[in-house]
Amino acid sequence: MFDKETDLGKIHFPASVIERIVKDAVNTCDEKVFLNKYKGKYMSMVPSDDYRAEEKDAGIDITVYVVMSFGASIGKYSKRMLTYIYENVEKVMGRRPSSVTIVVTGLKSKDNIAKRHIEITE
């Protein structure tokens, strides 16, 4: 999916590299953040759409969809995830992503999820 040309040849990075970095970023959030593209009561969850990575001329655009626990600091955990993703993508792939966006699709309290659409970028 993502290729890098070097003096020794072409390096191919599969999408699973980005997926692993995104999952690790969520794991740094004290179990208050969950990968989930919450769509509402009748279209509740689309598991394959938890993140999106697109390669463009300027670099990789990464969008991560999450649900946060009620009372969790959206700013704190979003910033933590943004920093983690930027640093680790650059470390692994040798190139900083052109953009990373965290989209909070819902806030979870006990068994209910309140639908939201809050986008955080850096």
Side-chain angles (χ1 to χ4, degrees):
M1 180 172 194
F2 307 107
D3 297 324
K4 180 180 177 182
E5 192 69 39
T6 66
D7 296 338
L8 300 175
K10 189 182 254 189
I11 300 173
H12 175 74
F13 295 98
S16 61
V17 171
I18 301 290
E19 180 179 12
R20 180 77 260 158
I21 292 170
V22 167
K23 286 181 178 180
D24 289 346
V26 169
N27 289 337
T28 66
C29 295
D30 308 324
E31 297 182 7
K32 304 235 184 237
V33 178
F34 312 95
L35 281 175
N36 192 336
K37 188 171 185 179
Y38 183 72
K39 295 259 190 186
K41 186 174 183 180
Y42 299 107
M43 288 181 68
S44 63
M45 296 172 217
V46 183
S48 63
D49 287 325
D50 294 339
Y51 78 96
R52 187 176 66 223
E54 296 179 61
E55 188 170 23
K56 297 186 178 177
D57 292 338
I60 300 171
D61 292 338
I62 300 171
T63 306
V64 181
Y65 300 96
V66 297
V67 169
M68 291 193 179
S69 295
F70 183 77
S73 172
I74 293 173
K76 172 184 171 183
Y77 291 116
S78 296
K79 177 70 173 168
R80 185 181 293 178
M81 288 178 60
L82 286 169
T83 302
Y84 187 92
I85 292 169
Y86 272 117
E87 288 176 357
N88 285 284
V89 168
E90 186 174 15
K91 201 181 300 181
V92 170
M93 300 177 81
R95 187 172 174 192
R96 188 172 170 86
S98 60
S99 73
V100 176
T101 305
I102 306 295
V103 180
V104 180
T105 60
L107 295 174
K108 183 178 182 356
S109 63
K110 295 190 182 185
D111 296 330
N112 299 321
I113 297 177
K115 188 175 178 182
R116 298 287 183 266
H117 185 85
I118 304 168
E119 293 187 22
I120 299 101
T121 59
E122 185 176 67

